[in-house]
Amino acid sequence: MSRPYLKRWHAWFLISTLAMSLLSGCGKASGDSQESEFQLKIADISTNAVFRIAKSKGIFDKHGIDAELVNFATPAEGVNSLFIKQVDVAFGADFPLLNAVSKGDYSIFASTGTATDLSASEWKLFVRKEIASAADLKGKKLSFSRGTFIPYLWDVYLADNGVALSDVELIGQGGFDEAYVALKKGEIDAAWVYGAVLNEKFGALAEARELSDMSKTPVRLGTGLIASNELINSNKEGFVALLKALDEASAYAQAHPEETADLMYEEVKQPKEATLKDLPKNPWSIGFTDKAYAGLRGQKEYMVANGIIEKDFELNDKLNLDLVRTAFPDRVIDLK
């Protein structure tokens, strides 16, 4: 091999090696960036603004989360979808959360802080026009959405008004739309309804009227976040980032109600006035308070006593508060 040719070959070899190294380095950096993004499928409903704000305003992206929102008719349906791994994270009331952790390897890892009197006042009780008081519900057909806390609410409300649960017939239904049709036709006599859109819809029924609301009962609806222990334990930093993102998104929604209302109309066709009414009554404040714990404990006792939860468990074993304690240490109680 001649010396000039050898020099050219060495030059070509060095350039090729350098180019391959650079390309390899770029590919690795890109791969690391993709791996650092925490990919999550999150169960959502059409009336909740927090997840949609987090996604549309880039708050999820800011915190390194690649989120896909999967829509359900109710939060309870979203929680149940964890069982078939349709979603990774869900939110819901105490009832479906406790039902889930009683059946599988899941943990409740934060509360949304919405168990307030103001939020409770949005749960309205609509009854047929001829029903004048709670006492008139004796012998009537009362609606409840399957897999929700509403049977518990009925039990407490009726007991407070001197009516036993055994004195009524509870009719399980798939959702509020089914209850609306049934109430209109007289197939049921009463239903609990939540949110500005539904309250207005039921309130417009000529056959029905509002009798009470949940704030007049001792029941307060705790709402929490749930995921599998396997996912939590393998992505602790990602879950801390998720909590920070959700808290930031809630604050943004509260500070920008008109923008949030526009977004909800654009994405799910929720009337702007409904979003503007609902927003101030349901601000999320991620944490875990004594009220959240008391709500879960009381609901669990009811579910065990009534055979809804077949096998009792220690509540503290189903709570993972390390994540929220890392994200917001001043908002978390110590479990005893």
Side-chain angles (χ1 to χ4, degrees):
M1 185 179 292
S2 66
R3 190 175 297 275
Y5 178 83
L6 189 62
K7 288 182 178 180
R8 287 197 301 271
W9 186 85
H10 276 298
W12 175 87
F13 179 78
L14 289 171
I15 292 171
S16 298
T17 302
L18 179 60
M20 289 177 68
S21 176
L22 289 171
L23 287 171
S24 175
C26 289
K28 186 176 181 181
S30 175
D32 286 348
S33 175
Q34 289 176 354
E35 288 175 6
S36 69
E37 273 199 321
F38 187 26
Q39 295 184 339
L40 285 175
K41 289 184 178 180
I42 302 174
D44 199 7
I45 58 173
S46 61
T47 56
N48 174 41
V50 176
F51 295 138
R52 295 182 191 279
I53 283 290
K55 187 170 178 65
S56 67
K57 300 307 297 182
I59 297 173
F60 277 143
D61 291 335
K62 169 186 170 183
H63 289 273
I65 298 166
D66 179 9
E68 176 186 343
L69 304 184
V70 183
N71 210 50
F72 295 90
T74 66
E77 288 185 12
V79 173
N80 289 337
S81 73
L82 286 169
F83 297 138
I84 57 173
K85 298 187 176 180
Q86 189 175 357
V87 299
D88 303 305
V89 174
F91 83 103
D94 294 341
F95 187 106
L97 295 181
L98 289 165
N99 184 53
V101 298
S102 74
K103 294 178 178 178
D105 193 23
Y106 304 97
S107 284
I108 300 163
F109 61 91
S111 168
T112 63
T114 53
T116 64
D117 294 347
L118 186 59
S119 179
S121 70
E122 278 294 280
W123 278 96
K124 310 289 187 184
L125 174 56
F126 286 94
V127 299
R128 297 280 297 178
K129 277 282 180 69
E130 60 271 19
I131 295 173
S133 68
D136 295 334
L137 291 173
K138 190 172 183 178
K140 302 298 185 182
K141 295 179 178 180
L142 313 183
S143 170
F144 74 96
S145 297
R146 299 183 188 95
T148 71
F149 81 109
I150 295 178
Y152 173 64
L153 175 57
W154 274 126
D155 197 0
V156 173
Y157 175 74
L158 293 171
D160 282 352
N161 287 278
V163 180
L165 197 60
S166 58
D167 292 332
V168 303
E169 181 181 357
L170 292 184
I171 306 296
Q173 298 183 305
F176 294 121
D177 289 339
E178 188 178 340
Y180 174 84
V181 173
L183 188 60
K184 182 178 176 66
K185 291 182 175 180
E187 296 171 349
I188 60 170
D189 299 292
W192 291 95
V193 176
Y194 178 79
V197 171
L198 288 167
N199 286 333
E200 183 175 344
K201 182 177 180 178
F202 277 70
L205 277 174
E207 300 83 359
R209 69 184 188 88
E210 181 184 331
L211 180 63
S212 187
D213 68 66
M214 195 169 77
S215 70
K216 299 179 177 65
T217 78
V219 178
R220 294 296 176 267
L221 184 59
T223 306
L225 294 155
I226 184 172
S228 72
N229 288 325
E230 180 183 7
L231 188 62
I232 290 173
N233 292 333
S234 61
N235 297 276
K236 291 182 179 180
E237 290 184 2
F239 272 95
V240 171
L242 172 66
L243 293 176
K244 291 180 177 180
L246 295 180
D247 200 68
E248 183 178 336
S250 177
Y252 188 96
Q254 295 296 324
H256 303 85
E258 291 286 345
E259 182 180 347
T260 301
D262 286 337
L263 172 68
M264 294 297 286
Y265 180 76
E266 178 183 340
E267 294 203 358
V268 296
K269 294 299 181 282
Q270 174 162 278
K272 288 183 61 176
E273 59 272 17
T275 301
L276 293 173
K277 287 179 182 178
D278 285 341
L279 261 181
K281 297 179 181 179
N282 295 284
W284 282 22
S285 179
I286 302 296
F288 199 88
T289 63
D290 283 317
K291 186 177 288 188
Y293 186 76
L296 281 168
R297 188 178 61 239
Q299 183 79 69
K300 183 177 85 73
E301 290 172 358
Y302 171 84
M303 294 172 76
V304 170
N306 287 274
I308 300 168
I309 292 177
E310 296 179 0
K311 187 177 180 181
D312 199 3
F313 58 88
E314 175 56 49
L315 179 59
N316 289 13
D317 293 341
K318 298 296 184 176
L319 301 176
N320 186 335
L321 303 186
D322 291 341
L323 307 171
V324 72
R325 185 170 286 110
T326 300
F328 306 107
D330 59 333
R331 303 184 194 174
V332 187
I333 62 169
D334 289 324
L335 297 178
K336 298 178 182 178

